[in-house]
């Protein structure tokens, strides 16, 4: 069994008790991680605070740039080990996790490049005798709380810009997937980051996250996870006036118009919902299809869904691994039963297909309106709801008829329609003739119940910076103390 430790102030801390991470494919515990106490969390924040006011906080942008680059190289040098830890924790395909970890150095390279370009501006104060400027300052200590589906990618969305801005970080991985993040913590020394710059705390109890986000010394909380937890996190943070970034769930629409390349669209629908067994915030869990191509599109998607190879996620030929943990599997099953109860037709899938364990077959549901629970609520599993539409207005109306607003796909050969519809969609990301494409340079985040704020791109820096307005009196004049101005 792999024994993991937290990283606090540059030291490895195992603590007293531990919890285990269960490999969803084998059903066996494979790693043990420390169960943090409240004192451990306090120590981690104290270490990050000390690094902010000392080590990391004292560096120039140029010095941070070089160390962030070095951190990127740590990922590159440990791709296999880190990716395998993710797969063994969450059951997602090793080739997907490897692809993600391999891409991470580029995120660090991008934000390293910004670390020495954080300029303020000189402002026309409107007053002859005053010189004024706005400084961009690092916010302080960031609490980063992570979900289980892509731990290192989602950590990186927060860590790379936070470090570029000059912040220090305490990261808490999910209780279902702690291994890769804890292991990364133990490798930080290789990058030469000052102790306390990045700290990790773990635990199986929700209190560990609560202790972290409720710590009044945090300058920012960056959370990725479910909507319900996001609200609890925001409430706790705001009671200390700590700002939050929330990256939450989705119920994204993949809209297939009558002029679409149907082979490409079917492939995009498959990628949207069955990649990662649907356990992705950007899952295209609703396919909206023009009525004239509805039958053909459903036929294509169902045919491909039936050939998806379920199996060991470490095996290069596998296309879908198991669901991450029992509670999540039961949630998927609950929604399939609900779909049947509400009168939906399960065209394919709907169960483990006799495989046992935590497998769930790619599932396609038809015959339900957009108002049904399966079309409105995030399932976070391989369940696609297909809904027909008759014209563009109706497609946009259905796509936007959700409390979420994370992503959407548009499949059409008509550029005017692509642009027009993308403008009308209430979503943080819109893909045209593609789905599930990401890069460090493009801002990512949601609207509505999908969250607050943006990660990645130039926009991803702003949550970790605070503006300071500095007024300098240059005339040596004495002013009327009772008049504002
Ligand atoms: P979750 O909300 O159950 O847990 C997320 C994290 O919050 C975990 O580390 C958990 O321990 C911690 N936590 C739980 N209660 C807490 C509390 N009261 N205070 C502080 N921390 C607490 O989410 P999950 O099941 O791990 O992840 C799946 C969800 O994440 C889905 O809804 C998915 O859509 C969302 N997600 C969003 C994005 C995005 O970028 N928008 C990306 C990936 C996943």
């Amino acid at each position: 069994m792999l024994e993991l430790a937290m990283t606090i102030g540059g030291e490895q801390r195992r603590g007293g008790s531990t919890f285990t991470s269960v490999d969803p494919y084998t059903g066996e515990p494979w790693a043990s991680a420390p169960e943090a106490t409240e004192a451990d969390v306090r120590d981690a924040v104290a270490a990050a605070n000390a690094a902010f006011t000392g080590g990391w906080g004292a560096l120039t942008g140029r010095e941070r740039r070089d160390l962030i680059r070095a951190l990127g190289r740590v990922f590159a040098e440990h791709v296999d080990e880190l990716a395998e830890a993710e797969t063994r924790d969450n059951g997602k395909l090793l080739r997907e996790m490897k692809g993600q970890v391999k891409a991470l150095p580029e995120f660090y390279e991008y934000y390293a490049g910004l670390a020495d370009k954080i300029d303020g501006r000189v402002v026309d104060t409107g007053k002859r005798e005053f010189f004024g400027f706005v400084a961009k300052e690092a916010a302080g200590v960031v609490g980063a709380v992570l979900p289980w589906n892509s731990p290192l990618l989602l950590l990186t969305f927060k860590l790379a810009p936070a470090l570029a801005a000059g912040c220090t970080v305490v990261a808490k991985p999910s209780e279902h997937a702690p291994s890769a993040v804890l292991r990364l913590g133990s490798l930080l020394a290789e990058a030469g980051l000052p102790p306390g710059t990045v700290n990790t705390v773990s635990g199986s109890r929700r209190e560990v996250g609560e202790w972290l986000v409720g710590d009044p010394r945090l300058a920012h909380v960056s959370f990725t996870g479910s909507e319900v937890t996001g609200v609890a996190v925001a409430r706790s943070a705001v009671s200390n006036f700590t700002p939050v970034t929330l990256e939450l769930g989705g119920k994204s629409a993949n809209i297939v118009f009558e002029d679409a390349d149907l082979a490409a669209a079917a492939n995009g629908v498959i990628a949207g919902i069955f990649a990662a067994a649907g356990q992705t915030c950007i899952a295209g869990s609703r396919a909206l299809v023009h009525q004239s191509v509805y039958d053909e599109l459903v036929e294509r998607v169902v045919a491909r869904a039936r050939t998806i190879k379920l199996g060991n996620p470490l095996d290069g030929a596998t296309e879908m691994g198991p669901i991450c943990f029992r509670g999540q599997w039961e949630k998927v099953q609950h929604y399939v039963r609900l779909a049947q109860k509400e009168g939906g037709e399960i065209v394919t899938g709907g169960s483990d297909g006799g495989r046992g364990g935590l497998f769930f077959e790619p599932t396609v549901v038809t015959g339900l309106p957009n108002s049904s629970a399966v079309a409105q609520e995030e399932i976070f599993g391989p369940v696609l709801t297909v809904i027909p539409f008759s014209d563009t207005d109706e497609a946009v109306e259905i796509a936007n008829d959700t409390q979420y607003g994370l992503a959407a796909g548009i499949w059409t050969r008509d550029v005017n329609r692509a642009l027009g519809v993308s403008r009308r969609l209430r979503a943080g990301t819109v893909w045209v003739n593609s789905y599930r494409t990401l890069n460090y340079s493009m801002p990512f985040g949601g609207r509505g119940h999908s969250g607050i704020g943006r990660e990645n791109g130039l926009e991803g820096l702003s949550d970790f910076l605070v503006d300071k307005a500095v007024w300098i009196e240059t005339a040596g004049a004495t002013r009327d103390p009772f008049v504002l101005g």
Side-chain angles (χ1 to χ4, degrees):
M1 179 118 63
L2 181 67
E3 291 201 355
L4 297 154
M6 302 182 287
T7 301
I8 298 177
E11 304 283 332
Q12 295 294 289
R13 190 180 293 189
R14 288 194 196 281
S17 54
T18 57
F19 67 101
T20 53
S21 171
V22 176
D23 179 329
Y25 176 67
T26 63
E28 299 293 330
W30 82 280
S32 94
E35 193 74 79
T37 62
E38 189 169 3
D40 291 327
V41 176
R42 299 278 165 263
D43 288 351
V45 177
N49 215 10
F52 180 69
T53 50
W56 186 254
L59 299 181
T60 62
R62 204 161 99 174
E63 288 164 336
R64 290 201 305 278
R65 176 197 69 190
D66 293 345
L67 289 168
I68 295 167
R69 267 195 190 130
L71 178 56
R73 286 196 292 274
V74 171
F75 285 92
E77 280 154 19
H78 297 273
V79 169
D80 290 344
E81 178 195 352
L82 292 171
E84 189 171 332
E86 294 196 309
T87 292
R88 299 216 56 194
D89 272 356
N90 68 16
K92 283 172 69 171
L93 300 186
L94 181 61
R95 69 173 194 274
E96 159 130 332
M97 302 332 285
K98 259 193 191 169
Q100 285 187 8
V101 180
K102 273 188 190 156
L104 297 184
E106 292 287 346
F107 283 74
Y108 291 92
E109 187 64 36
Y110 176 80
Y111 282 106
L114 293 176
D116 60 352
K117 297 172 191 66
I118 298 172
D119 302 325
R121 65 194 171 102
V122 173
V123 175
D124 178 346
T125 62
K127 297 169 195 299
R128 197 163 290 108
E129 65 278 23
F130 277 92
F131 175 74
F133 65 93
V134 180
K136 297 259 176 213
E137 297 183 350
V141 178
V142 174
V145 180
L146 305 168
W148 44 265
N149 59 330
S150 290
L152 292 175
L153 179 75
L154 299 171
L155 169 71
T156 295
F157 283 13
K158 306 173 189 316
L159 185 56
L163 293 177
C167 295
T168 57
V169 177
V170 179
K172 192 204 89 64
S174 161
E175 55 277 28
H176 301 295
S179 306
V181 172
L182 292 181
R183 181 70 184 120
L184 174 73
S186 72
L187 299 171
L188 290 170
E190 289 182 17
L193 298 181
T197 305
V198 182
N199 307 273
T200 56
V201 291
S202 57
S204 65
R205 298 171 298 156
R206 66 171 34 231
E207 284 88 339
V208 179
E210 287 170 354
W211 293 326
L212 178 59
V213 302
D215 193 306
R217 292 169 293 179
L218 295 189
H220 193 84
V221 169
S222 186
F223 171 81
T224 302
S226 65
E227 185 191 345
V228 174
T229 312
V231 171
V233 165
R235 282 212 174 100
S236 167
V238 88
S239 68
N240 292 317
F241 300 95
T242 308
V244 290
T245 306
L246 300 176
E247 295 287 353
L248 311 177
K251 199 72 201 180
S252 301
N254 230 328
I255 310 171
V256 183
F257 287 97
E258 63 276 22
D259 65 335
D261 173 340
L262 287 190
N267 192 59
V269 169
I270 294 280
I273 187 65
F274 299 133
Q279 302 167 108
T280 156
C281 55
I282 50 179
S285 47
R286 294 181 298 153
L288 314 185
V289 187
H290 190 269
Q291 59 195 19
S292 66
V293 293
Y294 180 88
D295 289 344
E296 188 181 344
L297 196 278
V298 170
E299 207 171 289
R300 282 176 185 267
V301 169
V302 168
R304 179 68 181 94
R306 288 191 175 135
T307 65
I308 289 175
K309 193 172 178 304
L310 278 71
N312 186 346
L314 295 172
D315 181 342
T318 300
E319 294 177 318
M320 243 174 74
I323 301 296
C324 180
F325 58 100
R326 178 59 57 192
Q328 186 59 31
W329 190 93
E330 281 163 3
K331 185 176 170 192
V332 177
Q333 167 111 109
H334 159 80
Y335 277 106
V336 169
R337 290 213 176 109
L338 197 60
Q340 285 167 314
K341 222 161 87 188
E342 289 185 327
E345 187 190 344
I346 311 299
V347 189
T348 190
S351 70
D352 66 2
R355 287 176 183 81
L358 292 177
F359 285 107
F360 208 100
E361 289 188 312
T363 300
V364 176
V365 182
T366 58
L368 286 176
N370 192 55
S371 56
S372 61
V374 281
Q376 286 294 320
E377 294 169 24
E378 186 186 48
I379 301 172
F380 217 61
V383 181
L384 174 72
T385 306
V386 197
I387 300 169
F389 67 83
S390 55
D391 59 27
T392 302
D393 285 348
E394 194 190 4
V396 171
E397 192 185 314
I398 300 173
N400 286 341
D401 181 15
T402 162
Q403 59 187 359
Y404 295 110
L406 193 57
I410 300 171
W411 298 86
T412 179
R413 289 183 168 107
D414 178 343
V415 70
N416 292 337
R417 173 185 269 158
L419 276 173
V421 173
S422 69
R423 264 201 297 270
R424 293 170 67 191
L425 290 174
R426 186 170 154 275
T429 294
V430 176
W431 291 288
V432 177
N433 294 329
S434 177
Y435 203 87
R436 219 167 167 256
T437 307
L438 288 174
N439 192 34
Y440 49 80
S441 55
M442 287 287 263
F444 180 77
R447 294 170 65 174
H449 290 215
S450 290
I452 298 172
R454 291 291 178 271
E455 298 188 317
N456 298 336
L458 298 178
E459 293 79 358
L461 260 186
S462 60
D463 278 353
F464 303 112
L465 292 167
V466 285
D467 293 322
K468 181 176 284 169
V470 181
W471 295 77
I472 302 174
E473 209 276 354
T474 58
T478 303
R479 308 173 64 76
D480 180 348
F482 304 106
V483 175
L484 175 74

